[in-house]
Structure formats: structure tokens, C-alpha cells
Amino acid sequence: MKVTVKSLAQAAGVSRGTVDRVLHNRGGVKPEVVLKIKNLAKELGYIPNRAGKALAAYKTPIKIGVMLPSIGNPFFDGVIEGVFQARDEFADLGVEVVLKEIEGFDSNAHLKAIDELLAKGCKALCLSTLNIEPVREKISDLNFHHLPVVLLNTNVENVHCLCYVGSDYLAAGATCGGLLAMCAKDPLKILIVTGSKMILGHNQRIDGFKQELDRQHAKYRIVDIVECNDSDIKATRVTLDALDEYEDVNCIYIAGAGIQGVGAAILARPQRKIFAIAFDEVYSTKELVKQGIIKFIVCQQPERQGYHAIKRAYLALTHQIPEQVDDFITETIIKIQANL
């Protein structure tokens, strides 16, 4: 038996007009009633008329803002590809995407970008941002005002938001630590080049890495942790400085971007035997793997991240999911010369 607006109204104990307002996101209905109707629609298998939803959506466009620290970081090309894929798929439902790209990890730039997206009328946000108190306060305030926030690619601690969409960074770091422990023959003197200590994902990659080395009783010492702000130019400089200061370094673990810059530093010191490991399948990184400069990389499906962030923001705005849902975690994939 087909589920209709009338049968949904009867099941929910409300009028057909109330159900119609909920299904077409017209507002004026108590949140608990909205959730009840949406849950019933899902349980009973209500199938909306996509053409009808499209007509309703064009009257009130659904504008979703995306902020990425993507300038100078080619990893985010894949995330943006997924964002645009979702945008195109949901375009007939009135979805618009406003993309704000910034460079690096300046807190004021991140907060300003969020405000700019809000000023452009975005009703939901997908943010790849900093794990610091001012950002936490901003996200919590948006959540208080029922504006859905998806934390995209990197999480933020101790905030209420719709969900996180991205990699399990602890598992990714542990994967690197486990592989390194199996490959290492000599005691490890490890230099860690991270993007920023304000990025939770980078910190979790380091934590997972060390935890797995400890679990496997590997003989290692972290000689230093240096930041490159995901800049290849800075990565070259800080890596060269560290290699000159610590002559016993035999492993470099790159926990963020700036991988091409680290590769350039390794090439500049050809007499050093260094086992380097990194993340993400971008062109320059693949070339370094093919040349044997980086031994393996761990990847995190950026296109899926971008796509599912937009999809969840849309579902939240149309009240098809609650104000908080389970995180969407992408797969951890190992790439070496043989399978690139």
C-alpha cells in the first residue's frame, strides 16, 4: 500500500497541511513534530515526488556553505570534486553551494570565512577548520541557533554539530606506525613534519602512529616535531633545518601536507638514507612514491568526504535526519609503488 501525505498525517495525528509543510521545509512546525513526521515517513517508506520537491525548493533555495583551507593544498581538489558532484546531483532540489577557499591555519581567517558564508545566506555549513576555542565557540553558537554544521575532513573536539565526515586519523596513524614497525631493521630516529598543531586530524595521526609503535615494541625515538602549515616551501626549509640539526634521523613521518617540500629536502641530502612515509594520493606524492623517496602513503577518499558532507547538510536542512547523526568515516587505504 502506497504511503501518502494523508496516511502520514493520520499516523502522526496532525493535519495534512502540517505534513506538507514539514515535507517541503516550509517551517512553522515545532521541531519535535518535524522529527516525528520525518521518522514516520522513513519507517513507513514514504517516497516523495522529486519533481514536486524540486518545485518547492526553487521557491526557497537551499544554500550550503563550504569552507576549506585548500589554497596551496592539492589534497582538497578531491574534496571539492565530491562537493561539486553532490551539488550537481541535488541541483534540481534547489541546492546551491557557496565554496570559500582559504590558505593555511590563521584563526582569524577561518572565523572570517565562516562569517562571510553566513552573510551570503548559507543555512548549513561544511567546515574543515581548526581545533581551537574560538572556533568551538562559533560552531556551538551555530548549533544553538539550529544551523547544521558538518565538520569536513578534520574534526573539532567538544562541540555539538550535525556530524563529522572524514578519515579515522587515529587508525590512519596506527596504520603507518604498524607498517613502519614491520619494515624497520635499525632503531628508528624519527622526524615528524606536521601541518599544524591546531588541526585535530594531524595530531591524531601522530598519536595513532606513536601508539602503534609502542604496541609493537618498536625501538624508536621522536627527535622532533616541526610544523610546515601545509606549505611546500616551508616544509622544505624546516625539514632541511631538522636534518642538519639531527644527523641521526633515518625516518620522516609526514602527518599533513607539504609532502613535495619534504621530498625536495630529502633529495637535497642524497647521502642520507631516509625511510619516508606520508598521506594522500595527489600527483606530486605519487611521483615521490614511484621514485622510491616515499615508501608508502595512506589515503582517505577525499571525493567521498566532499560528497557526503553536502548530502548530509541537505538532508538536515530538509529535516530528513535529526540535528545530530553518526559520523561518516571513510576507508583507510594503503598505496605503494605496486598499486598506484
Side-chain angles (χ1 to χ4, degrees), residues 4 45 94 101 123 257 281 338:
T4 64
E101 297 187 75
K123 301 302 182 185
E281 191 178 354

Side-chain angles (χ1 to χ4, degrees), residues 9-74:
Q10 291 173 341
V14 298
S15 69
R16 292 175 62 181
T18 297
V19 172
D20 185 75
R21 285 197 298 276
V22 169
L23 296 179
H24 293 96
N25 195 33
R26 294 193 179 112
V29 182
K30 293 180 179 179
E32 59 269 24
V33 176
V34 170
L35 188 57
K36 179 180 180 181
I37 292 171
K38 289 297 181 183
N39 286 338
L40 278 171
K42 185 176 181 180
E43 291 171 9
L44 297 174
Y46 173 74
I47 301 174
N49 183 296
R50 189 172 175 97
K53 288 185 71 177
L55 288 172
Y58 278 123
K59 296 177 183 177
T60 54
I62 299 171
K63 192 175 288 190
I64 299 171
V66 179
M67 186 196 75
L68 302 172
S70 50
I71 296 176
N73 188 344

Side-chain angles (χ1 to χ4, degrees), residues 55-303:
L55 288 172
Y58 278 123
K59 296 177 183 177
T60 54
I62 299 171
K63 192 175 288 190
I64 299 171
V66 179
M67 186 196 75
L68 302 172
S70 50
I71 296 176
N73 188 344
F75 162 78
F76 284 101
D77 292 348
V79 177
I80 293 170
E81 182 180 333
V83 165
F84 288 165
Q85 180 186 345
R87 176 201 63 187
D88 295 344
E89 182 174 323
F90 296 113
D92 67 333
L93 297 174
V95 171
E96 298 179 13
V97 171
V98 181
L99 176 61
K100 178 66 178 179
E101 297 187 75
I102 59 177
E103 182 176 7
F105 308 118
D106 178 77
S107 59
N108 291 326
H110 279 244
L111 293 168
K112 181 181 178 183
I114 293 172
D115 287 336
E116 288 177 359
L117 290 172
L118 295 173
K120 291 181 179 180
C122 296
K123 301 302 182 185
L125 298 178
C126 301
L127 306 175
S128 181
T129 189
L130 308 172
N131 185 43
I132 58 174
E133 190 57 34
V135 171
R136 281 192 281 269
E137 292 176 358
K138 171 68 76 173
I139 293 171
S140 296
D141 181 64
L142 295 173
N143 179 77
F144 178 78
H145 289 93
H146 303 288
L147 191 148
V149 174
V150 176
L151 293 169
L152 170 57
N153 179 249
T154 186
N155 213 338
V156 176
E157 294 176 303
N158 303 318
V159 296
H160 294 287
C161 63
L162 177 62
C163 64
Y164 163 64
V165 174
S167 170
D168 182 339
Y169 285 99
L170 279 170
T175 300
C176 290
L179 288 170
L180 179 60
M182 289 189 289
C183 295
K185 297 179 181 179
D186 301 319
L188 295 162
K189 308 298 191 299
I190 304 171
L191 170 67
I192 297 178
V193 181
T194 190
S196 171
K197 294 174 183 177
M198 293 187 292
I199 294 294
L200 181 61
H202 296 171
N203 295 338
Q204 289 175 328
R205 281 174 172 170
I206 296 171
D207 290 342
F209 178 71
K210 293 191 292 186
Q211 288 167 14
E212 185 61 19
L213 287 174
D214 290 337
R215 193 185 72 82
Q216 296 206 29
H217 306 290
K219 295 180 180 180
Y220 78 98
R221 177 169 62 89
I222 306 296
V223 301
D224 204 355
I225 300 176
V226 296
E227 293 177 280
C228 70
N229 293 322
D230 281 357
S231 162
D232 285 312
I233 294 174
K234 186 173 182 181
T236 301
R237 185 172 68 250
V238 298
T239 304
L240 285 173
D241 289 345
L243 289 177
D244 291 341
E245 181 176 356
Y246 306 104
E247 295 183 358
D248 58 348
V249 167
N250 58 9
C251 176
I252 299 180
Y253 176 55
I254 310 163
I259 300 165
Q260 185 174 3
V262 175
I266 294 172
L267 287 169
R269 298 291 184 269
Q271 74 280 9
R272 304 285 292 270
K273 293 183 178 180
I274 294 173
F275 192 107
I277 51 182
F279 292 88
D280 302 322
E281 191 178 354
V282 301
Y283 175 78
S284 57
T285 305
K286 289 192 292 184
E287 290 302 307
L288 290 169
V289 174
K290 291 175 183 178
Q291 295 173 39
I293 297 166
I294 291 176
K295 303 306 180 186
F296 63 84
I297 53 177
V298 173
C299 309
Q300 55 172 316
Q301 300 181 306
E303 295 85 0

